[in-house]
C-alpha cells in the first residue's frame, strides 16, 4: 500500500510542475483516473458502507468472578491422612490409629486415586469439602474415620505477564484477588503510553483485547485474574503516513480500531493554517484481498462495488463531513495527504520572484 501511495504522489508531484509540497488536488484526481482508482467522497453512504470498526472482544467478557484461594484444581498436589478413632473414641490410644496416605497430583480430569477408597473427584472443591468426600468413602471400611486433606503444592495459582512491560514474569495469586491493572503494576508497568498500549488477556481458549487507557477508565473491564491467566501488553502495531499540508509529516503508530480520521489528522499536527486546502483531505487505502465496499449511488437504487485500491476524499470545510471524519476509522497502512490551497502555491511563486539573488562574495584584497 505504501509503495502505491508513494508512486502516485511522486508522479503527480512531477506533473504539477509547481513549487508545492506535493500534487494539487486536481493532479491527484487526474492520476487516480488514469490508474482507474476510484475516489469516494466522505459521504454518509460511504461511511455507512464501511461500517463500524470490528473491535475485538474486550476484557469485560470474562465477567466479575474473583479468585478464590484454597480451591483444589487439576495439577495441584494434595496430601491425605486418615484417622480412625475406633469405638473407644478419639483419646483411646488402644483403638485410635492414623495412616498417612501420602501426596497425590490431581489429574486433568480433577480426580485422585486413593488406596482403599478408589477414584475420587475433588477438583473445584475446598479442602474442607474434599475432606468430607474422603471421610465418607472410608466410612465403608472403618469404624469412625476422619480424613485430613491439605494442598501441599499449588503450582497452578499463578499468572504470567509478557510483552511491553518493564519486568515481565510469573506471579502468584493471593487472597487479594489481583486484577489486570495489578498484574501490569507488578510487572513494572507498561513501557508505552496507555493510549498506545493494548492489553490481551488469554484464559484457556478465550482471548480478550483492549486498550490500556480504556481499562483504566472502566473499572468493570479491570477484571480479576484466575490461575493460569496470561496478560500480554503490546504497543500500537498499526501505522499510517501523513504528508502534505499538515503540521507534522511522517509515519505514526496507533491502535487499529481506536483511531478516527479526525484523530489521525490531529496526531499529525492538524491542518496547516497557512497552506492547507481543507477541501482536499485524501486517504489512500488498499483494501484487503476479497474485501468489497458496496456504496449506494445518489438515487439509492444501484450499488457501486469497490475493491483493491481506493482513495477517500474529505472536505473539512463541510461541517457534516468533518463530523463523519470522527466515524471514519483508520487502518494499518493508510496514507493521509492534504493538498495545498491555491493561494499557498501563489505565495510560493511570489516568494521566489521577490527573493533577491545571491551575489558572489567580493574578492579578498
Amino acid at each position: 500500500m505504501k509503495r502505491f501511495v508513494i508512486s502516485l504522489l511522486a508522479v503527480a508531484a512531477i506533473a504539477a510542475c509547481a513549487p508545492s509540497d506535493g500534487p494539487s488536488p486536481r493532479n491527484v484526481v487526474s492520476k487516480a483516473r488514469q490508474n482507474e482508482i476510484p475516489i469516494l467522497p466522505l459521504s454518509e453512504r460511504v461511511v455507512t458502507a464501511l461500517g463500524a470498526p470490528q473491535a475485538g472482544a474486550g476484557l469485560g467478557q470474562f465477567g466479575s468472578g474473583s479468585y478464590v484461594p484454597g480451591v483444589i484444581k487439576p495439577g495441584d498436589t494434595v496430601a491425605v491422612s486418615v484417622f480412625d478413632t475406633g469405638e473407644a473414641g478419639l483419646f483411646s490410644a488402644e483403638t485410635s490409629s492414623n495412616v498417612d496416605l501420602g501426596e497425590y497430583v490431581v489429574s486433568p480430569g480433577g480426580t485422585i486415586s486413593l488406596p482403599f477408597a478408589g477414584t475420587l473427584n475433588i477438583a473445584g472443591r475446598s479442602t474442607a469439602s474434599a475432606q468430607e468426600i474422603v471421610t465418607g468413602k472410608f466410612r465403608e471400611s472403618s469404624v469412625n474415620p476422619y480424613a485430613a486433606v491439605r494442598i501441599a503444592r499449588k503450582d497452578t495459582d499463578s499468572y504470567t505477564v509478557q510483552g511491553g512491560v518493564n519486568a515481565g514474569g510469573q506471579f502468584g495469586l493471593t487472597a487479594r484477588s489481583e486484577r489486570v491493572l495489578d498484574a501490569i503494576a507488578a510487572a513494572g508497568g507498561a513501557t508505552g503510553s496507555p493510549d498506545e498500549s493494548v492489553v490481551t488477556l488469554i484464559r484457556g481458549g478465550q482471548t480478550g483485547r483492549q486498550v490500556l487507557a480504556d481499562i483504566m477508565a472502566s473499572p468493570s473491564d479491570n477484571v480479576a485474574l484466575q490461575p493460569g491467566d496470561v496478560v500480554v501488553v503490546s504497543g500500537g502495531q498499526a501505522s499510517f503516513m501523513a504528508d502534505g499540508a499538515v503540521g507534522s509529516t511522517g509515519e505514526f503508530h496507533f491502535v487499529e480500531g481506536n483511531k478516527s480520521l479526525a484523530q489521525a489528522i490531529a496526531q499529525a499536527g492538524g491542518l496547516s493554517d497557512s497552506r492547507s486546502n481543507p477541501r482536499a483531505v485524501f486517504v489512500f487505502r488498499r483494501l484487503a484481498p476479497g474485501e468489497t465496499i458496496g456504496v449506494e449511488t445518489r438515487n439509492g437504487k444501484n450499488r457501486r462495488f469497490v475493491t483493491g485500491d481506493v482513495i477517500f476524499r474529505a472536505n473539512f470545510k463541510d461541517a457534516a463531513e468533518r463530523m463523519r471524519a470522527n466515524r471514519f476509522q483508520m487502518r494499518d497502512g493508510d496514507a493521509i495527504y492534504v493538498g495545498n490551497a491555491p493561494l499557498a502555491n501563489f505565495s510560493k511563486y511570489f516568494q521566489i520572484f521577490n527573493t533577491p539573488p545571491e551575489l558572489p562574495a567580493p574578492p579578498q584584497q
Side-chain angles (χ1 to χ4, degrees), residues 79-83 127 130-131 134-135 146-150:
V80 182
S81 298
V82 178
F83 301 85
T127 53
Q131 286 174 178
V134 176
T135 298
Y146 171 79
V149 178
R150 64 180 178 85

Side-chain angles (χ1 to χ4, degrees), residues 143-156:
V143 177
N144 194 16
Y146 171 79
V149 178
R150 64 180 178 85
I151 300 174
R153 188 165 58 256
K154 199 169 184 61
D155 297 334
T156 58

Side-chain angles (χ1 to χ4, degrees), residues 120-122 125 128-138 147:
L120 305 177
N121 193 329
I122 61 172
R125 299 178 179 274
S129 177
Q131 286 174 178
E132 292 179 3
I133 292 175
V134 176
T135 298
K137 195 66 177 177
F138 274 94

Side-chain angles (χ1 to χ4, degrees), residues 306-325:
V306 177
T307 60
D309 296 329
V310 61
I311 301 173
F312 301 96
R313 181 173 183 170
N315 177 7
F316 271 45
K317 275 283 190 181
D318 185 284
E321 287 201 28
R322 194 151 194 158
M323 290 295 292
R324 285 193 285 271

Side-chain angles (χ1 to χ4, degrees), residues 1 119 170 201 248 284:
M1 174 65 192
T119 301
Q170 192 173 61
L201 176 59
S248 177
F284 297 78

Side-chain angles (χ1 to χ4, degrees), residues 118-251:
T119 301
L120 305 177
N121 193 329
I122 61 172
R125 299 178 179 274
S126 64
T127 53
S129 177
Q131 286 174 178
E132 292 179 3
I133 292 175
V134 176
T135 298
K137 195 66 177 177
F138 274 94
R139 281 201 180 99
E140 300 174 4
S141 56
S142 300
V143 177
N144 194 16
Y146 171 79
V149 178
R150 64 180 178 85
I151 300 174
R153 188 165 58 256
K154 199 169 184 61
D155 297 334
T156 58
D157 277 17
S158 62
Y159 62 90
T160 304
V161 184
Q162 302 173 352
V165 290
N166 289 298
Q170 192 173 61
F171 304 87
L173 283 167
T174 68
R176 289 179 55 243
S177 188
E178 286 80 4
R179 296 178 176 272
V180 170
L181 295 182
D182 298 324
I184 295 173
T191 55
S193 67
D195 289 331
E196 295 186 355
S197 298
V198 179
V199 179
T200 301
L201 176 59
I202 304 171
R203 179 177 296 168
Q206 193 176 6
T207 300
R209 188 170 181 266
Q210 197 162 344
V211 178
L212 177 56
D214 294 342
I215 301 173
M216 296 171 67
S218 175
S220 62
D221 292 321
N222 184 26
V223 297
L225 297 176
Q226 297 294 334
D229 279 357
V230 178
V231 178
V232 182
V233 181
S234 58
Q237 304 299 327
S239 66
F240 68 89
M241 292 195 304
D243 198 7
V246 290
S248 177
T249 61
E251 185 174 17

Side-chain angles (χ1 to χ4, degrees), residues 285-357:
R285 174 176 294 176
R286 171 158 289 170
L287 300 178
E291 182 180 5
T292 301
I293 302 175
V295 183
E296 288 186 359
T297 56
R298 292 184 183 274
N299 59 21
K301 296 180 180 179
N302 300 313
R303 291 176 68 86
R304 178 186 181 188
F305 295 96
V306 177
T307 60
D309 296 329
V310 61
I311 301 173
F312 301 96
R313 181 173 183 170
N315 177 7
F316 271 45
K317 275 283 190 181
D318 185 284
E321 287 201 28
R322 194 151 194 158
M323 290 295 292
R324 285 193 285 271
N326 289 305
R327 293 162 50 203
F328 181 95
Q329 291 293 315
M330 298 295 292
R331 293 189 187 178
D332 184 30
D334 280 356
I336 297 172
Y337 175 73
V338 180
N340 281 344
L343 286 178
N345 287 337
F346 175 79
S347 298
K348 290 182 180 179
Y349 276 119
F350 186 77
Q351 224 174 17
I352 290 173
F353 288 111
N354 281 273
T355 302

